[in-house]
Amino acid sequence: QDHFRSSFFVSGSVQRRALARAHSSLESMTTRCAVRPDGVAVVTLDHAPVNSLATSLVESLKANFAKLTADPAVKAIVVTGAGGFFCGGAEISEFAKLIGPGPGAYKERHASQPFHDVMDVIDASPKTVVAAINGLALGGGLEVALACHYRVMSPKASVGFPEVQLGLLPGGEGTQR
């Protein structure tokens, strides 16, 4: 917990260097889609090691959902994670980018609005959406699963909101689903 808290108080130059290093790896955070012959689309959250929800992954998830819901060949959508991990939640390295602009930066649109938008897209999908929870689903990862219409879990899977141990509420409307 102390390491987590101290990361918010790192000097600006250290934050900028860390964000620059993280930015190149964050661009590769994405989702993979495959449509099976039976019309079931499988969307895989794919960013090792924990399939965290970086901005690029959230944007990819939203774009892929738009394509899949518009495709008449797709009958249902399954969301799962790569590498035996469903989703580890928010991309911690992006937190500094969110708090950097200061409190006035989000008067018109909340910093977590893109995540809320993709949760609403999943929830409102006219096609059945199933979360195939194949490993840990933590924080925002559990919120992704809760946005799906149904959830199935492997015996090794577990879910939780670890942020509450830090006094933080789930930020993606997970407590309202």
Side-chain angles (χ1 to χ4, degrees):
Q1 288 179 344
D2 292 331
H3 173 72
F4 180 80
R5 288 188 189 128
S6 66
S7 68
F8 283 99
F9 302 105
V10 177
S11 74
S13 63
V14 172
Q15 282 181 343
R16 283 189 293 279
R17 284 194 305 270
L19 284 174
R21 280 192 308 271
H23 182 69
S24 61
S25 67
L26 292 177
E27 290 175 349
S28 66
M29 300 174 99
T30 188
T31 55
R32 289 184 283 122
C33 289
V35 179
R36 300 181 340 189
D38 61 359
V40 174
V42 179
V43 178
T44 305
L45 307 176
D46 190 9
H47 182 265
V50 298
N51 304 322
S52 57
L53 295 167
T55 302
S56 59
L57 191 137
V58 170
E59 290 169 356
S60 173
L61 184 59
K62 185 176 179 183
N64 280 321
F65 255 85
K67 290 176 192 171
L68 294 172
T69 56
D71 185 344
V74 173
K75 307 299 179 214
I77 303 168
V78 173
V79 179
T80 192
F85 215 109
F86 184 75
C87 181
E91 176 56 48
I92 303 287
S93 67
E94 289 189 353
F95 281 15
K97 180 174 75 172
L98 294 175
I99 64 170
Y106 300 108
K107 288 183 180 178
E108 299 297 319
R109 185 170 164 89
H110 193 273
S112 61
Q113 192 61 48
F115 184 60
H116 295 183
D117 292 346
V118 78
M119 297 301 102
D120 291 340
V121 165
I122 294 169
D123 189 27
S125 173
K127 300 181 181 184
T128 301
V129 182
V130 178
I133 305 170
N134 58 326
L136 291 173
L138 301 174
L142 176 53
E143 293 182 277
V144 170
L146 291 172
C148 296
H149 304 146
Y150 300 97
R151 287 149 292 285
V152 294
M153 294 176 63
S154 77
K156 67 177 183 174
S158 61
V159 298
F161 287 122
E163 60 268 38
V164 299
Q165 297 295 322
L166 299 170
L168 301 172
L169 293 174
E173 302 173 349
T175 57
Q176 288 83 38
R177 297 204 185 272

